[in-house]
Amino acid sequence: AMTDLISRRKTLRALAQLAVGGGALTSLIRPAAAASPATSPDLMSLLPESAVTPGPLVMRTGATPAAQQLATSLSATARRLDPQALLLATQALDAARLRPGMLDAMPGVMAVIDYSLPSTEKRLWVFDLKLRRLLYEEWVAHGRNSGDNMTVRFSNEVDSHMSSLGAYVAGAPYTGKNGYSLRLRGLEPGFNDRAFERAIVMHGAPYVNPDIIRTQGRLGRSWGCPAMRADVTRPVIDLLAQGGFLFNYFPDQDWLAQSRLIGGMAQLRA
């Protein structure tokens, strides 16, 4: 099943599938009337004919208009990012924005990690939400007990050395044993809310670089942290610090059903 998923993702840009959850989702395919073609192009025109392949998810409910419009704009700048994962990210952001105490202010930067992709592919996207443009597309490591090249297991437990799913808000940067790092606060009880206790932070690592991929066929792995290339660590952390939004995605049925922010919005395709 995982092999099939990766194969589909190679050609997947199935925005048409996003309309399954209801007519409201079609605004992800067609820009809103008020949007100019220069800032929000018809995404279907950007996709190959093979993009009719359905995605791994069935969207059960519609996203908010704000989440749809933001996903539309960002998709145009990040064509490799699964539009279903991006829609869940923008919906989680909108839900967190509306919940008292979750976000101090609307973030200016959002990062999305798609853990359904192998570590050999760039699977971290960093967006400027004000200008609605892509800033970085990068490699990122996963936890050593989450899998080898593919990430297949997730945990919220201390000492699990696994990655966790869901939404986070970025805290303050600091310098620790892994160099310049960024504290993360998990927003999803049961899935990532023990991030501080587990010392889950963003940091740079020498085992995240294309040379490692060439020699061992995958990136090195962390103890659960989303580790990045050393060359981009400081600029990415400085962008996200003090309020940036991070969304870790994988088509995990339990998380899709129970997430505090996007629970029930999508389910795995039968």
Side-chain angles (χ1 to χ4, degrees):
M2 184 58 63
T3 301
D4 292 340
L5 172 62
I6 297 304
S7 177
R8 284 197 300 251
R9 292 292 306 285
K10 293 289 187 181
T11 57
L12 169 66
R13 289 296 180 270
L15 290 177
Q17 171 58 26
L18 295 175
V20 171
L25 287 175
T26 58
S27 65
L28 265 177
I29 301 172
R30 295 187 296 275
S36 68
T39 58
S40 187
D42 182 345
L43 297 186
M44 292 304 290
S45 68
L46 303 177
L47 308 180
E49 293 181 5
S50 60
V52 297
T53 305
L57 305 180
V58 173
M59 309 305 288
R60 300 179 60 202
T61 62
T64 62
Q68 295 168 30
Q69 292 165 13
L70 181 58
T72 299
S73 298
L74 298 182
S75 287
T77 71
R79 302 184 189 181
R80 287 188 58 254
L81 175 53
D82 182 344
Q84 291 183 327
L86 181 55
L87 179 61
L88 292 177
T90 58
Q91 178 60 36
L93 173 61
D94 201 43
R97 178 182 63 86
L98 296 173
R99 285 179 177 263
M102 271 205 169
L103 302 176
D104 293 334
M106 181 63 181
V109 176
M110 178 177 74
V112 179
I113 298 175
D114 184 352
Y115 279 129
S116 71
L117 293 173
S119 71
T120 51
E121 294 188 23
K122 293 181 178 180
R123 53 183 181 172
L124 164 66
W125 290 262
V126 182
F127 296 99
D128 183 322
L129 296 182
K130 295 179 180 178
L131 298 179
R132 300 195 174 193
R133 64 187 180 96
L134 179 66
L135 300 175
Y136 288 93
E137 182 175 350
E138 277 292 327
W139 290 280
V140 63
H142 56 255
R144 64 183 303 172
N145 289 336
S146 281
D148 292 324
N149 187 30
M150 299 302 305
T151 318
V152 295
R153 293 176 295 274
F154 302 88
S155 176
N156 192 35
E157 297 301 315
V158 175
D159 295 330
S160 67
H161 296 169
M162 295 187 197
S163 299
S164 300
L165 295 174
Y168 300 78
V169 64
Y174 69 99
T175 300
K177 65 178 182 180
N178 289 307
Y180 197 57
S181 305
L182 181 64
R183 300 190 192 281
L184 300 171
R185 176 167 61 91
L187 301 180
E188 305 209 32
F191 293 99
N192 65 18
D193 60 332
R194 303 182 74 181
F196 184 82
E197 185 182 358
R198 297 179 60 206
I200 300 300
V201 301
M202 296 189 80
H203 63 79
Y207 52 76
V208 181
N209 68 69
D211 291 336
I212 295 293
I213 293 174
R214 284 190 286 270
T215 58
Q216 67 181 31
R218 59 166 174 80
L219 291 181
R221 296 166 297 172
S222 69
W223 280 16
C225 297
M228 302 171 287
R229 284 195 306 127
D231 289 347
V232 301
T233 297
R234 183 170 288 273
V236 169
I237 285 178
D238 287 344
L239 284 167
L240 286 166
Q242 302 291 10
F245 192 78
L246 169 66
F247 186 78
N248 291 350
Y249 167 80
F250 184 87
D252 177 84
Q253 187 62 64
D254 289 341
W255 171 66
L256 290 170
Q258 300 170 31
S259 165
R260 184 180 187 182
L261 299 174
I262 52 95
M265 182 179 173
Q267 66 182 31
L268 293 182
R269 181 179 296 279

